[in-house]
mmCIF file of all heavy atoms in Angstrom:
data_model
loop_
_atom_site.group_PDB
_atom_site.id
_atom_site.type_symbol
_atom_site.label_atom_id
_atom_site.label_comp_id
_atom_site.label_asym_id
_atom_site.label_seq_id
_atom_site.Cartn_x
_atom_site.Cartn_y
_atom_site.Cartn_z
ATOM 1 N N SER O 50 -24.039 20.639 0.908
ATOM 2 C CA SER O 50 -22.848 21.294 1.434
ATOM 3 C C SER O 50 -21.924 20.278 2.106
ATOM 4 O O SER O 50 -20.694 20.361 1.997
ATOM 5 C CB SER O 50 -23.249 22.379 2.434
ATOM 6 O OG SER O 50 -22.110 22.987 3.004
ATOM 7 N N ALA O 51 -22.514 19.300 2.802
ATOM 8 C CA ALA O 51 -21.720 18.257 3.450
ATOM 9 C C ALA O 51 -21.013 17.389 2.404
ATOM 10 O O ALA O 51 -19.844 17.016 2.575
ATOM 11 C CB ALA O 51 -22.618 17.397 4.328
ATOM 12 N N ILE O 52 -21.729 17.076 1.317
ATOM 13 C CA ILE O 52 -21.117 16.278 0.245
ATOM 14 C C ILE O 52 -19.969 17.043 -0.391
ATOM 15 O O ILE O 52 -18.884 16.494 -0.629
ATOM 16 C CB ILE O 52 -22.177 15.908 -0.810
ATOM 17 C CG1 ILE O 52 -23.224 14.977 -0.199
ATOM 18 C CG2 ILE O 52 -21.522 15.253 -2.016
ATOM 19 C CD1 ILE O 52 -24.382 14.672 -1.118
ATOM 20 N N LEU O 53 -20.194 18.325 -0.662
ATOM 21 C CA LEU O 53 -19.139 19.151 -1.242
ATOM 22 C C LEU O 53 -17.950 19.276 -0.291
ATOM 23 O O LEU O 53 -16.791 19.219 -0.725
ATOM 24 C CB LEU O 53 -19.689 20.541 -1.571
ATOM 25 C CG LEU O 53 -18.688 21.534 -2.192
ATOM 26 C CD1 LEU O 53 -18.156 20.998 -3.517
ATOM 27 C CD2 LEU O 53 -19.342 22.893 -2.384
ATOM 28 N N SER O 54 -18.220 19.411 0.995
ATOM 29 C CA SER O 54 -17.144 19.503 1.984
ATOM 30 C C SER O 54 -16.297 18.235 1.977
ATOM 31 O O SER O 54 -15.062 18.291 1.993
ATOM 32 C CB SER O 54 -17.729 19.734 3.381
ATOM 33 O OG SER O 54 -18.429 20.945 3.440
ATOM 34 N N GLY O 55 -16.987 17.088 1.969
ATOM 35 C CA GLY O 55 -16.260 15.825 1.920
ATOM 36 C C GLY O 55 -15.440 15.688 0.657
ATOM 37 O O GLY O 55 -14.307 15.182 0.680
ATOM 38 N N CYS O 56 -15.991 16.136 -0.449
ATOM 39 C CA CYS O 56 -15.288 16.053 -1.733
ATOM 40 C C CYS O 56 -14.038 16.931 -1.724
ATOM 41 O O CYS O 56 -12.956 16.501 -2.151
ATOM 42 C CB CYS O 56 -16.227 16.468 -2.856
ATOM 43 S SG CYS O 56 -15.537 16.263 -4.510
ATOM 44 N N VAL O 57 -14.170 18.151 -1.220
ATOM 45 C CA VAL O 57 -13.034 19.083 -1.208
ATOM 46 C C VAL O 57 -11.925 18.581 -0.289
ATOM 47 O O VAL O 57 -10.747 18.544 -0.664
ATOM 48 C CB VAL O 57 -13.492 20.490 -0.785
ATOM 49 C CG1 VAL O 57 -12.287 21.395 -0.549
ATOM 50 C CG2 VAL O 57 -14.400 21.089 -1.844
ATOM 51 N N LEU O 58 -12.295 18.206 0.939
ATOM 52 C CA LEU O 58 -11.244 17.750 1.858
ATOM 53 C C LEU O 58 -10.664 16.416 1.390
ATOM 54 O O LEU O 58 -9.482 16.130 1.616
ATOM 55 C CB LEU O 58 -11.757 17.683 3.287
ATOM 56 C CG LEU O 58 -12.819 16.660 3.690
ATOM 57 C CD1 LEU O 58 -12.213 15.309 4.043
ATOM 58 C CD2 LEU O 58 -13.610 17.199 4.902
ATOM 59 N N GLY O 59 -11.470 15.588 0.708
ATOM 60 C CA GLY O 59 -10.954 14.346 0.150
ATOM 61 C C GLY O 59 -9.961 14.604 -0.968
ATOM 62 O O GLY O 59 -8.925 13.943 -1.063
ATOM 63 N N PHE O 60 -10.274 15.607 -1.812
ATOM 64 C CA PHE O 60 -9.333 15.956 -2.876
ATOM 65 C C PHE O 60 -8.034 16.498 -2.288
ATOM 66 O O PHE O 60 -6.940 16.204 -2.783
ATOM 67 C CB PHE O 60 -9.949 16.991 -3.817
ATOM 68 C CG PHE O 60 -9.041 17.382 -4.948
ATOM 69 C CD1 PHE O 60 -8.941 16.586 -6.067
ATOM 70 C CD2 PHE O 60 -8.269 18.529 -4.877
ATOM 71 C CE1 PHE O 60 -8.089 16.925 -7.112
ATOM 72 C CE2 PHE O 60 -7.420 18.882 -5.908
ATOM 73 C CZ PHE O 60 -7.330 18.073 -7.035
ATOM 74 N N LEU O 61 -8.144 17.280 -1.224
ATOM 75 C CA LEU O 61 -6.935 17.781 -0.578
ATOM 76 C C LEU O 61 -6.121 16.637 0.024
ATOM 77 O O LEU O 61 -4.895 16.582 -0.123
ATOM 78 C CB LEU O 61 -7.295 18.789 0.513
ATOM 79 C CG LEU O 61 -7.778 20.159 0.035
ATOM 80 C CD1 LEU O 61 -8.293 20.981 1.207
ATOM 81 C CD2 LEU O 61 -6.661 20.898 -0.686
ATOM 82 N N LEU O 62 -6.806 15.707 0.698
ATOM 83 C CA LEU O 62 -6.121 14.558 1.289
ATOM 84 C C LEU O 62 -5.353 13.768 0.239
ATOM 85 O O LEU O 62 -4.134 13.566 0.346
ATOM 86 C CB LEU O 62 -7.159 13.654 1.984
ATOM 87 C CG LEU O 62 -6.760 12.183 2.208
ATOM 88 C CD1 LEU O 62 -5.543 12.082 3.116
ATOM 89 C CD2 LEU O 62 -7.937 11.402 2.782
ATOM 90 N N TYR O 63 -6.062 13.305 -0.780
ATOM 91 C CA TYR O 63 -5.428 12.478 -1.802
ATOM 92 C C TYR O 63 -4.506 13.292 -2.702
ATOM 93 O O TYR O 63 -3.472 12.796 -3.159
ATOM 94 C CB TYR O 63 -6.495 11.765 -2.630
ATOM 95 C CG TYR O 63 -7.237 10.709 -1.854
ATOM 96 C CD1 TYR O 63 -8.589 10.861 -1.539
ATOM 97 C CD2 TYR O 63 -6.587 9.556 -1.414
ATOM 98 C CE1 TYR O 63 -9.275 9.893 -0.821
ATOM 99 C CE2 TYR O 63 -7.267 8.590 -0.695
ATOM 100 C CZ TYR O 63 -8.615 8.753 -0.401
ATOM 101 O OH TYR O 63 -9.286 7.803 0.310
ATOM 102 N N GLY O 64 -4.894 14.543 -2.950
ATOM 103 C CA GLY O 64 -4.041 15.382 -3.787
ATOM 104 C C GLY O 64 -2.687 15.630 -3.153
ATOM 105 O O GLY O 64 -1.645 15.544 -3.832
ATOM 106 N N ILE O 65 -2.680 15.908 -1.854
ATOM 107 C CA ILE O 65 -1.404 16.103 -1.158
ATOM 108 C C ILE O 65 -0.596 14.812 -1.154
ATOM 109 O O ILE O 65 0.615 14.814 -1.410
ATOM 110 C CB ILE O 65 -1.658 16.594 0.282
ATOM 111 C CG1 ILE O 65 -2.227 18.011 0.255
ATOM 112 C CG2 ILE O 65 -0.380 16.550 1.108
ATOM 113 C CD1 ILE O 65 -2.712 18.499 1.602
ATOM 114 N N ALA O 66 -1.245 13.689 -0.863
ATOM 115 C CA ALA O 66 -0.543 12.405 -0.828
ATOM 116 C C ALA O 66 0.046 12.047 -2.186
ATOM 117 O O ALA O 66 1.106 11.403 -2.265
ATOM 118 C CB ALA O 66 -1.495 11.307 -0.360
ATOM 119 N N LEU O 67 -0.616 12.474 -3.263
ATOM 120 C CA LEU O 67 -0.169 12.130 -4.615
ATOM 121 C C LEU O 67 0.909 13.059 -5.148
ATOM 122 O O LEU O 67 1.578 12.715 -6.134
ATOM 123 C CB LEU O 67 -1.364 12.151 -5.577
ATOM 124 C CG LEU O 67 -2.307 10.951 -5.534
ATOM 125 C CD1 LEU O 67 -3.614 11.288 -6.246
ATOM 126 C CD2 LEU O 67 -1.659 9.723 -6.176
ATOM 127 N N ILE O 68 1.085 14.220 -4.534
ATOM 128 C CA ILE O 68 2.040 15.197 -5.074
ATOM 129 C C ILE O 68 3.430 14.607 -5.277
ATOM 130 O O ILE O 68 4.008 14.731 -6.370
ATOM 131 C CB ILE O 68 2.089 16.452 -4.176
ATOM 132 C CG1 ILE O 68 0.845 17.313 -4.395
ATOM 133 C CG2 ILE O 68 3.341 17.286 -4.477
ATOM 134 C CD1 ILE O 68 0.749 18.508 -3.460
ATOM 135 N N PRO O 69 4.040 13.951 -4.269
ATOM 136 C CA PRO O 69 5.382 13.409 -4.508
ATOM 137 C C PRO O 69 5.401 12.301 -5.549
ATOM 138 O O PRO O 69 6.370 12.175 -6.306
ATOM 139 C CB PRO O 69 5.798 12.885 -3.122
ATOM 140 C CG PRO O 69 4.526 12.679 -2.381
ATOM 141 C CD PRO O 69 3.603 13.738 -2.877
ATOM 142 N N ASP O 70 4.332 11.512 -5.626
ATOM 143 C CA ASP O 70 4.283 10.420 -6.596
ATOM 144 C C ASP O 70 4.171 10.951 -8.024
ATOM 145 O O ASP O 70 4.756 10.378 -8.944
ATOM 146 C CB ASP O 70 3.095 9.500 -6.284
ATOM 147 C CG ASP O 70 3.196 8.881 -4.909
ATOM 148 O OD1 ASP O 70 2.935 9.591 -3.913
ATOM 149 O OD2 ASP O 70 3.533 7.700 -4.819
ATOM 150 N N ILE O 71 3.410 12.025 -8.204
ATOM 151 C CA ILE O 71 3.236 12.580 -9.548
ATOM 152 C C ILE O 71 4.461 13.397 -9.960
ATOM 153 O O ILE O 71 5.002 13.223 -11.062
ATOM 154 C CB ILE O 71 1.969 13.465 -9.593
ATOM 155 C CG1 ILE O 71 0.711 12.611 -9.348
ATOM 156 C CG2 ILE O 71 1.880 14.169 -10.945
ATOM 157 C CD1 ILE O 71 0.441 11.551 -10.387
#
Side-chain angles (χ1 to χ4, degrees):
S50 177
I52 294 174
L53 180 61
S54 298
C56 185
V57 171
L58 67 85
F60 181 81
L61 287 172
L62 158 62
Y63 291 112
I65 292 171
L67 283 165
I68 285 175
D70 299 76
I71 295 297

